Amino acid sequence: TLSLEPRSDGFGNNQVVPVTFANVNEFCRFQGEVYSNIAEGDSFYMDCEVTVASPVNLRGVKGTLALAGSKLSYSAITNQVDTNYDVAYDSAMTFTIRTPIVKYTADIFGSSPTLTPQIYVTAMGAGSVILKVGRWAVHKIPASVLSAES
């Protein structure tokens, strides 16, 4: 059951996602979507604060930001917990995920692109984890700002 809890720093809520795994390589994906205010040349990145509580057989946590139009697709990925597929991570932790920047170039069909920020948790085997995600944001760097800096 998904729930919200107030953040201790007073900045909104954490989204709390309890996950149970039955097998190796099972994963849970937590995502949002952004459909508007995307223009040619704009760049984007995602960041959020993640708390992993009570992990059992946790393989990893990663963040992605996918930018897709009807013809073109870009993706930025960052891994925050990577156990090289040999040892489960069984300690609680809090960290910030920030993806690399992705830049939108014109879609040849002129359709509206979609931004999809995602958080994945992956298992080493049967186990569980409580994922808490807060201060999740997709940041836009307008093309006009980037061109003014060059």
Side-chain angles (χ1 to χ4, degrees), residues 6 9 13 16 24 31-32 43 48 51-52 70-71 73 80 82 90 99-100 110 116 131-132 134 148-149:
D9 60 12
N13 296 308
V16 181
V24 67
Q31 75 178 41
S43 294
C48 63
T51 297
V52 172
S70 62
K71 185 68 174 174
S73 181
Q80 292 300 322
D82 184 1
D90 289 330
T99 64
T116 307
L131 184 69
K132 299 178 183 184
E149 291 179 354

Side-chain angles (χ1 to χ4, degrees), residues 93-149:
M93 60 191 150
T94 298
F95 51 87
T96 298
I97 288 179
R98 176 170 287 150
T99 64
I101 293 172
V102 292
K103 183 177 181 179
Y104 181 67
T105 57
D107 192 325
I108 62 172
F109 295 111
S111 68
S112 263
T114 303
L115 279 165
T116 307
Q118 302 173 327
I119 305 295
Y120 287 83
V121 290
T122 307
M124 287 289 297
S128 61
V129 66
I130 298 170
L131 184 69
K132 299 178 183 184
V133 180
R135 301 185 75 167
W136 196 1
V138 173
H139 303 273
K140 177 180 178 179
I141 306 167
S144 60
V145 171
L146 291 175
S147 63
E149 291 179 354

Side-chain angles (χ1 to χ4, degrees), residues 12-117:
N13 296 308
N14 282 328
Q15 298 179 39
V16 181
V17 185
V19 181
T20 301
F21 304 109
N23 297 299
V24 67
N25 292 329
E26 282 190 356
F27 69 90
C28 175
R29 178 180 65 213
F30 187 58
Q31 75 178 41
E33 291 188 342
V34 179
Y35 296 101
S36 63
N37 297 322
I38 301 171
E40 181 180 352
D42 288 344
S43 294
F44 302 87
Y45 67 95
M46 175 198 80
D47 64 8
C48 63
E49 184 179 284
V50 174
T51 297
V52 172
S54 306
V56 176
N57 277 332
L58 175 65
R59 170 171 280 161
V61 178
K62 73 177 179 181
T64 69
L65 179 60
L67 175 57
S70 62
K71 185 68 174 174
L72 303 173
S73 181
Y74 310 90
S75 185
I77 300 171
T78 185
N79 289 311
Q80 292 300 322
V81 178
D82 184 1
T83 59
N84 295 316
Y85 302 103
D86 55 357
V87 178
Y89 197 91
D90 289 330
S91 298
M93 60 191 150
T94 298
F95 51 87
T96 298
I97 288 179
R98 176 170 287 150
T99 64
I101 293 172
V102 292
K103 183 177 181 179
Y104 181 67
T105 57
D107 192 325
I108 62 172
F109 295 111
S111 68
S112 263
T114 303
L115 279 165
T116 307

